[in-house]
Amino acid sequence: MTKKINLFANLKSDFASGLVVFLVALPLCLGIALASGAPLFSGIISGVIGGIVVGYLSQSHISVSGPAAGLTAILLTAITDLGSFNALLLAVLIAGLIQLTLGFVKAGSISNYFPTNVIEGMLAGIGVIIFLKQIPHAFGYDPDFEGDLSFFQQDGQNTFSELFSVMNHIQLGSILITLISLAILIFWSKSKFLNNLKLVPAALVAVIVSVVLNEIFMQTGSSLAIDTSHLVNLPVPTSLEEFKAIIVTPDFTAITNSKVWIVAITIAVVASIETLLCIEAADRMDAQKRYTNTNVELKAQGIGNIVSALIGGLPMTSVVVRSSANNNAGAKSKMSAIIHGLLLLVSVLVIPTILNKIPLATLAAVLLLVGYKLANPKTIKHFWEKGKYQFIPFIATFVAVVFTDLLKGVALGMIISVIFVLKGNMKRAYKFRKEEYHDGDIIHIDLAQEVSFLNKSAIKSTLLEIPENSKVVINATDTVYIAHDVLDLIKEFKKNRAKEENIKVKLVGFKKAYELENSEGFKNTVTVEHRYDALKRQTVKVETKKIDFIE
C-alpha cells in the first residue's frame, strides 16, 4: 500500500523553496520559449502545468518540471517544418499520449540501469555549465537565453567564447547587483542579527533589494542603472483580447501529417529520457534518499504534456536546474513544486509589471550558487578514490556534458560503462600454465549458475588454452542457464578440437534441453577452486587435481 503523504506537513520550508524555484523558473520559461521560436507565454504555461499538474501527480519529492532547454532545437525546427505553432501543439499532445502509454507498459524501469557514476557525472557537468552560463548574465551581457545548457549557443558563441565576449559588454550596475545578491544569499541565514527575519527566503530578499536599488539608479539618472534589456521581459496583456490570445489550441486537422507524428515520437523519446535522468538525479540529491516510481513519473509527464498542449504550452520534462534549486532551497515534499507553479500562474496574471523590474543579474546570482553546489570538487575526489572503473565513466560524462549537452554526455558515459562491463566479463582471474598439467591430472571447468553470451569470449579462451592429451571435466551441475552461444562452443570443442588433439572430455550435469550427452563413471572427483571472476561474480572455476580418470 502506498503511504499517504500530507502535502501541508512542511508548508513553511516548501513555500520558501517554491518561491526560490519560481524566481529561477520565470526567466527560464521565457528564455526557452524565445529560443524555441514559440510565443513567450507558451513557456510560462508549460511551467505552470509542470508545477501544478505534474507536481501533484508525480511521486518525486524534489524534482520540478517545466520547459526544457534540451528540446529547444527540436521545437525550433519543428515549428518551421510543420508550418505553425498550432501543429506543433498537436505533436506535443500526441507525445504526451505516448509517454502515458510508456508509463503503463512500465518503460520507466530502464532508469534502474543508469549507473550512479554516470548520473553523478551528469550532475557535476550541469553544475559547471550553470555556473559558466550565468557569468555573462552576472556581468550584464545577455545575448544567450536563460536556461541554455548546450556548449554551442544559438548566438554563434560557445560556453567559453561567451566568457571572453563579456569583457566588451560589462555593465557595472549588473555586477554590483550580482555581488549584493550573492552576499545576501550566502550570509542571510548565517547572520546572528537577523534571527527574526530568517523565515523570509534569502532569494526574495535579494530580488527586492535589487529591484529597489535599480529603481533608485534609474530615478537618479545613475550610470549604474540597468535598462530593460537586462531585466525580466514578461509580456503584459493590455486588453482582454490580448489576454485571450494567450490560449492557443492544437490544430487537429494536421493529424494526417506524417511530420507531426515524427516530431511527436521525437519529443516523447527525448523528453522521457531527460525526465528519467533527472528523476534519478533528483533522488540522488534528496537528503532523505526517497525513491521515485519512474513509471508513475512517465504517466504524470504524459498527462502534463497533454494538458499543456491543449492550452498552448510547450512540452516539458523534469529539469535538473529547477530541481537542484529546489533541493538547495530546502524543499521537503512535492508541495514546493506545486507552489512554484501557483506562483507562476498568479504572478503573471496579477503583477507582470513588477516582475519585469527584476534584474537578470539577481537571478544569475541564485543560479551561480546552484551550479557551485552541483559541481562540488569533493565529488570528483570521491570517484577518483573508487578506482578507474568508477572514475573514468564519471569524468567522461562530466566532460562530455560540459562540451556537448546532457543527452550526449550521458550516452558517452553509458557506452564507457558498458565497455567496462564487457571487459569485466571477458577478463580471467586465473592463468593457464602448461607445467601445471601432468599425466593423470584432470582439468575441471565448473560453470556458474548463469552463463551468458558475455562469458563466451572468456570460456573460448579457456578451452583454447587446454593442452593436447589432457583430460577435461566440464561441470554444469549448478547451472540454471547457459546461452546457446556457449553451448555451441562446448559442442564444437568436444566434437572437433578434442578429437584432433586427443583431449578426453567428460560432461557432467548438463540438462536434456542442452542436447549435450552427460558422461558417466567418475570416482574420487575432488574440486580445488580457482576463481574465475567476471564483474565480481563467479562465472567459471578451473581447477586441477590428481585423480583416477575412468573411461
Side-chain angles (χ1 to χ4, degrees):
M1 182 180 291
T2 304
K3 183 179 179 181
K4 192 172 182 180
I5 299 171
N6 182 2
L7 291 176
F8 300 96
N10 301 287
L11 191 58
K12 185 187 298 183
S13 58
D14 285 340
F15 182 82
S17 55
L19 179 61
V20 172
V21 180
F22 154 69
L23 294 172
V24 170
L26 181 61
L28 297 184
C29 290
L30 294 171
I32 290 168
L34 181 65
S36 302
L40 290 181
F41 262 112
S42 64
I44 298 294
I45 292 170
S46 178
V48 171
I49 301 302
I52 300 173
V53 177
V54 178
Y56 178 77
L57 295 176
S58 171
Q59 291 183 356
S60 175
H61 298 274
I62 299 298
S63 74
V64 182
S65 296
L71 294 173
T72 53
I74 296 172
L75 300 180
L76 185 62
T77 304
I79 292 174
T80 303
D81 289 346
L82 299 179
S84 71
F85 180 64
N86 303 71
L88 173 66
L89 293 179
L90 178 62
V92 175
L93 190 152
I94 296 171
L97 292 171
I98 294 172
Q99 284 186 296
L100 191 60
T101 304
L102 291 173
F104 279 110
V105 300
K106 302 188 184 303
S109 59
I110 65 171
S111 65
N112 295 325
Y113 299 97
F114 297 148
T116 298
N117 51 0
V118 172
I119 297 298
E120 292 286 358
M122 178 191 77
L123 284 174
I126 289 176
V128 170
I129 292 173
I130 293 172
F131 191 90
L132 295 176
K133 293 284 189 182
Q134 293 309 311
I135 291 176
H137 297 296
F139 279 79
Y141 184 52
D142 307 296
D144 189 35
F145 69 93
E146 275 284 9
D148 186 11
L149 296 180
S150 295
F151 182 73
F152 296 103
Q153 303 173 176
Q154 292 184 1
D155 63 352
Q157 301 279 6
N158 61 54
T159 303
F160 293 110
S161 67
E162 189 93 332
L163 298 178
F164 293 104
S165 298
V166 168
M167 296 299 102
N168 300 320
H169 301 86
I170 291 177
Q171 215 283 333
L172 293 179
S174 293
I175 296 176
L176 180 62
I177 291 294
T178 299
L179 293 175
I180 292 173
S181 299
L182 282 172
I184 293 172
L185 292 168
I186 294 171
F187 298 110
W188 181 259
S189 61
K190 296 180 180 180
S191 176
K192 297 179 179 179
F193 303 102
L194 301 172
N195 287 330
N196 296 329
L197 297 174
K198 287 182 180 179
L199 293 178
V200 181
L204 178 60
V205 177
V207 166
I208 293 173
V209 170
S210 65
V211 169
V212 171
L213 270 178
N214 194 47
E215 285 296 308
I216 293 173
F217 294 154
M218 294 177 70
Q219 294 299 324
T220 58
S222 172
S223 60
L224 296 175
I226 302 174
D227 62 43
T228 54
S229 63
H230 305 298
L231 305 176
V232 170
N233 186 22
L234 183 67
V236 181
T238 56
S239 65
L240 183 61
E241 292 301 318
E242 287 185 16
F243 183 78
K244 289 180 179 179
I246 293 173
I247 306 299
V248 184
T249 56
D251 178 12
F252 289 98
T253 61
I255 192 72
T256 57
N257 186 344
S258 60
K259 291 182 179 179
V260 168
W261 288 89
I262 293 172
V263 171
I265 293 170
T266 304
I267 292 173
V269 171
V270 174
S272 296
I273 293 173
E274 284 207 15
T275 289
L276 293 177
L277 286 168
C278 293
I279 286 296
E280 285 295 310
D283 286 350
R284 294 287 303 169
M285 289 186 284
D286 186 6
Q288 299 182 46
K289 299 304 176 187
R290 295 164 291 189
Y291 293 101
T292 303
N293 186 324
T294 49
N295 295 312
V296 172
E297 185 66 29
L298 285 180
K299 295 175 188 177
Q301 294 290 335
I303 294 172
N305 277 322
I306 292 170
V307 175
S308 180
L310 287 173
I311 58 176
L314 292 177
M316 69 192 69
T317 72
S318 175
V319 186
V320 172
V321 178
R322 280 163 239 192
S323 302
S324 302
N326 193 34
N327 180 64
N328 292 336
K332 301 295 183 184
S333 76
K334 62 183 183 179
M335 188 64 184
S336 175
I338 297 172
I339 288 172
H340 122 273
L342 290 171
L343 288 174
L344 272 176
L345 176 62
V346 172
S347 61
V348 297
L349 295 178
V350 179
I351 54 170
T353 305
I354 296 176
L355 295 178
N356 284 343
K357 295 180 181 295
I358 301 175
L360 293 176
T362 298
L363 305 179
V366 176
L367 289 171
L368 281 170
L369 290 182
V370 171
Y372 174 77
K373 290 180 180 179
L374 279 177
N376 194 323
K378 292 181 180 178
T379 306
I380 298 176
K381 181 181 177 183
H382 169 75
F383 281 100
W384 173 262
E385 292 173 347
K386 279 183 170 289
K388 64 180 181 180
Y389 291 109
Q390 287 292 313
F391 180 74
I392 293 177
F394 165 82
I395 203 68
T397 305
F398 168 76
V399 173
V401 166
V402 172
F403 286 97
T404 56
D405 57 41
L406 184 151
L407 291 181
K408 291 186 180 72
V410 170
L412 178 62
M414 291 290 291
I415 290 170
I416 293 175
S417 294
V418 170
I419 290 172
F420 282 168
V421 169
L422 295 174
K423 184 177 179 181
N425 273 275
M426 292 186 291
K427 183 179 179 181
R428 291 181 301 160
Y430 61 87
K431 294 182 179 179
F432 272 96
R433 291 184 297 176
K434 289 188 177 181
E435 60 267 26
E436 291 181 355
Y437 304 106
H438 306 287
D439 292 339
D441 285 354
I442 299 177
I443 302 169
H444 285 260
I445 300 177
D446 292 347
L447 303 180
Q449 285 189 342
E450 293 187 9
V451 184
S452 72
F453 72 95
L454 295 175
N455 308 123
K456 177 181 176 181
S457 176
I459 295 174
K460 185 176 183 179
S461 298
T462 300
L463 296 176
L464 284 173
E465 294 180 25
I466 293 174
E468 295 181 8
N469 306 312
S470 299
K471 299 173 182 179
V472 181
V473 177
I474 302 178
N475 191 340
T477 303
D478 296 328
T479 307
V480 294
Y481 168 77
I482 304 177
H484 287 291
D485 290 2
V486 177
L487 287 173
D488 289 341
L489 197 65
I490 295 172
K491 289 177 184 177
E492 291 168 4
F493 173 76
K494 183 181 180 182
K495 182 178 179 181
N496 300 318
R497 181 166 175 262
K499 290 182 178 180
E500 292 172 2
E501 300 185 7
N502 193 32
I503 300 173
K504 296 178 181 179
V505 181
K506 299 291 185 180
L507 304 181
V508 179
F510 284 84
K511 298 177 182 178
K512 291 183 179 179
Y514 295 155
E515 298 180 355
L516 278 170
E517 183 180 352
N518 291 312
S519 305
E520 300 292 339
F522 290 92
K523 73 176 184 178
N524 301 326
T525 302
V526 181
T527 299
V528 180
E529 299 183 1
H530 294 271
R531 295 185 64 83
Y532 172 93
D533 192 7
L535 288 179
K536 295 184 179 179
R537 188 185 69 181
Q538 185 180 348
T539 304
V540 179
K541 295 183 295 183
V542 177
E543 68 277 348
T544 64
K545 181 67 179 179
K546 183 91 173 187
I547 61 173
D548 293 327
F549 192 92
I550 300 177
E551 299 296 336

